Amino acid sequence: MIEIRNLVKTFGRRVVLRGVNLTIQEGEFVTLMGANGAGKTTLMHIVANLSKPTAGDVFINGFRLADAASQLRRYIGLVSHKTLLYDDLTAAQNLRFYARMYDVPQAEERIETVLRQVGLWGRQHDPVRTYSRGMQQRLAIARAILHNPPILLLDEPDTGLDQHASDMLGKLLHAVGVSQRTILMTTHNLERGLSLGNRVVILAKGKIAYDARREAVSVDELRQQYYRYVTAN
């Protein structure tokens, strides 16, 4: 579903990605880990077509992203550090705006469905500025799945959440049909990343340094590998 080939990204003289190669099969949940500044968000933004690579290619469902960017955006839902919501609009108004952008059929029914999935039905007429950080992140997930994309990109979705809200994240992702989508998620929480994903990847020094299936690695082993490739460097 996602194929990243020899991806390079530079900002001036600073090289962030140094020939990243990564293939994610349809239905896989891949957790991407790495230190701050390792290039995780840069990689996510390139896959989401929010940034252009300096070199290399991204393929979505077999199509080169650079050749069909506008069409392929419909394949992708993104939850990033920013919620991409309008504070003065209600939850329903925010989702209606995005429904128009994506030409979502039967928009009102779909809006109700996703708001119920994330537990915000009943608060749909309240302005987003009155929501807690956890509620805003739940609404951001509803926004990301509104057009029912087969690919979901989650860039540290637990950022800014308290412990209770973070613990609820896994249940929330399953509630919105995570098993029916291809997922790429970044996180600094090793335990959560291993429990949610069925594959874990470590990005270090601009390259993929470690790649393992969940059943082949324990939390202790992952912690050792993380220290080896990230903390020790």
Side-chain angles (χ1 to χ4, degrees):
M1 182 60 78
I2 302 174
E3 185 177 1
I4 299 168
R5 298 181 187 173
N6 302 314
L7 206 64
V8 175
K9 181 64 177 180
T10 62
F11 295 96
R13 295 183 178 179
R14 180 170 170 250
V15 182
V16 177
L17 301 177
R18 303 172 181 270
V20 171
N21 290 283
L22 181 64
T23 298
I24 304 174
Q25 302 295 334
E26 182 176 359
E28 271 196 308
F29 190 137
V30 175
T31 301
L32 180 66
M33 300 180 180
N36 287 330
K40 302 185 303 298
T41 295
T42 298
L43 180 62
M44 295 286 262
H45 283 181
I46 291 173
V47 175
N49 198 39
L50 297 177
S51 179
K52 302 295 183 184
T54 303
D57 286 306
V58 175
F59 293 82
I60 303 294
N61 199 28
F63 297 95
R64 186 169 176 261
L65 185 58
D67 295 333
S70 59
Q71 297 93 326
L72 292 176
R73 281 195 185 99
R74 296 180 180 273
Y75 279 72
I76 298 169
L78 171 68
V79 178
S80 67
H81 298 290
K82 296 181 180 180
T83 62
L84 306 179
L85 300 168
Y86 296 94
D87 287 347
D88 290 331
L89 297 182
T90 68
Q93 288 170 336
N94 268 279
L95 294 186
R96 286 191 192 106
F97 170 76
Y98 283 102
R100 288 195 295 270
M101 286 183 61
Y102 286 101
D103 295 322
V104 175
Q106 299 178 315
E108 291 302 316
E109 290 84 354
R110 180 61 182 162
I111 288 169
E112 179 177 348
T113 296
V114 297
L115 285 175
R116 287 188 183 278
Q117 285 179 313
V118 301
L120 290 176
W121 186 252
R123 295 291 304 272
Q124 70 270 28
H125 300 308
D126 295 343
V128 170
R129 56 181 162 75
T130 67
Y131 283 15
S132 67
R133 170 61 184 170
M135 292 172 66
Q136 289 184 14
Q137 196 68 332
R138 280 190 274 161
L139 184 57
I141 292 173
R143 170 193 54 73
I145 65 167
L146 183 64
H147 57 298
N148 203 23
I151 296 172
L152 194 56
L153 304 178
L154 306 171
D155 192 12
E156 296 186 15
D158 48 359
T159 298
L161 301 184
D162 59 29
Q163 186 61 48
H164 176 69
S166 293
D167 291 342
M168 290 294 292
L169 180 64
K171 294 180 181 179
L172 176 60
L173 291 176
H174 285 290
V176 300
V178 68
S179 61
Q180 303 165 13
R181 307 178 198 277
T182 302
I183 313 292
L184 177 60
M185 180 182 78
T186 67
T187 182
H188 287 289
N189 189 309
L190 303 186
E191 291 82 359
R192 183 172 296 116
L194 191 59
S195 66
L196 288 176
N198 47 42
R199 184 173 154 209
V200 60
V201 172
I202 295 176
L203 184 65
K205 296 184 177 180
K207 291 187 175 183
I208 301 299
Y210 180 80
D211 188 341
R213 304 290 302 177
R214 177 174 59 189
E215 60 270 19
V217 61
S218 65
V219 173
D220 288 340
E221 168 68 11
L222 179 59
R223 189 175 287 112
Q224 291 175 7
Q225 295 295 338
Y226 190 85
Y227 179 82
R228 175 186 176 187
Y229 290 112
V230 177
T231 309
N233 293 315

